[in-house]
Amino acid sequence: MQCPNCQSTESGLSFKLPRHLQDIIIRDFIHHNSSYTWNKNILHTTEPASNDLVDFLREMNLDSKVFFKAPYKDWLSLDRFDEYRHSSWLDDLIESKNIQMYFQPIIASNGKIYAYEMLARFFDDEGTIIYPDKVFPAAKLRGRTFALDRLCRMQGVRQVKRLYDHQKAFINFIPTAIYEPEYCLRTTTALAESLSIESSRFIFEVVETEKVDDVEHLKSILTYYRNNGFNYALDDVGSGYNTLGLLDELKPPYIKLDMTVTQGVSRSTKKQAIASAFLSTAKKYGALCLAEGIEDIKDFKWLKEKGYDLFQGYLFGKPLPDPLEEKVIDLNQF
């Protein structure tokens, strides 16, 4: 089965329109010599023609009960069209590959840098940074999540050559962006092989673990990674007990305790209970437990004494465009 995301991106948009508008719109399209196809009450046309269509419908007060969608995406009400139209910069960003990976250290309990998380930072043509919280929603809206996720993933894989040989890399991925692992991920595995990097140095990190709806699909992705020698991690666990069952079912080699639990854990019995529960579940099958978002030395010491293995946060280092020269973070400075 060929993954539609891996094929050339289908151009244009589709519109779901009331039937009584069909003759009016066809006449308008013929008048402007616009390209279109019509199937029942679904119109498919080019993006420039889509802009004209929406402007026309609004001017004529005919935009009620009209919906639109990008390829392979859900239908959206027409009141979100301007949001879609104004996010076209995202396509240019993907095509120009205006992306740089930043490195945030992940340390062991003795301060040794065990790994780095690769964090994507994006830039416009003037070199101004665009943060992921703007880029990824725009990609979702335009139906470009796969392309953006792949761009970040491939760039992250390339950066591992810049690390010391003993260091690993945590690279984020979005499960919903991957349609069929065998097709969507083969370029990732091929790139790692071409760079002669041991697959065990890669830890692919599930983004938004709490929001995973299709567990079977996620299993197929993780199975693909495991069969190709890669490790994987569940991110953001602990913001609720509902991921405890997911840990038992997926048994990831790494889990990352969410920063909402980590921060202030030394002072909160509720957070301590959550941190302990996830630690206990993970240790049953030998997973390594990483606490992220650490900014307070007291939280670090509590988690370390409890038995957490790895630690990440501004206390040890902010994301930077280059990995650190030193191999160990001096914990005596705190």
Side-chain angles (χ1 to χ4, degrees), residues 49 73 75 93 138 164 177 184-185 228 239 255 292:
K73 303 305 294 181
W75 291 102
L93 184 149
Y164 291 111
C184 295
L185 299 176
N228 284 274
S239 56
I255 70 163
E292 63 178 350

Side-chain angles (χ1 to χ4, degrees), residues 139-190:
K140 184 176 182 180
L141 185 63
R142 295 193 68 79
R144 302 301 307 276
T145 301
F146 170 79
L148 183 63
D149 184 72
R150 181 182 181 277
L151 175 63
C152 296
R153 201 173 346 112
M154 299 291 278
Q155 187 71 359
V157 168
R158 293 186 183 95
Q159 300 309 305
V160 179
K161 296 293 287 186
R162 301 177 63 190
L163 306 182
Y164 291 111
D165 290 342
H166 68 278
Q167 293 172 340
K168 301 180 185 294
F170 282 70
I171 299 173
N172 296 325
F173 78 94
I174 304 172
T176 53
I178 298 171
Y179 179 78
E180 182 67 27
E182 181 182 353
Y183 292 104
C184 295
L185 299 176
R186 59 184 175 185
T187 52
T188 305
T189 57

Side-chain angles (χ1 to χ4, degrees), residues 54 58 63 66-68 76-84:
V54 172
R58 286 175 174 169
D63 52 335
V66 177
F67 300 85
F68 79 99
L76 299 171
S77 62
L78 203 62
D79 58 11
R80 296 197 64 188
F81 187 81
D82 287 339
E83 184 183 350
Y84 175 89

Side-chain angles (χ1 to χ4, degrees), residues 15-46:
F15 290 83
K16 186 185 294 184
L17 298 133
R19 289 184 181 275
H20 70 272
L21 295 180
Q22 182 170 346
D23 290 342
I24 299 173
I25 291 172
I26 288 177
R27 287 197 300 269
D28 185 70
F29 270 60
I30 292 174
H31 176 73
H32 290 95
N33 197 28
S34 300
S35 174
Y36 72 95
T37 59
W38 198 293
N39 182 18
K40 296 183 179 178
N41 66 324
I42 305 298
L43 171 74
H44 181 80
T45 189
T46 63

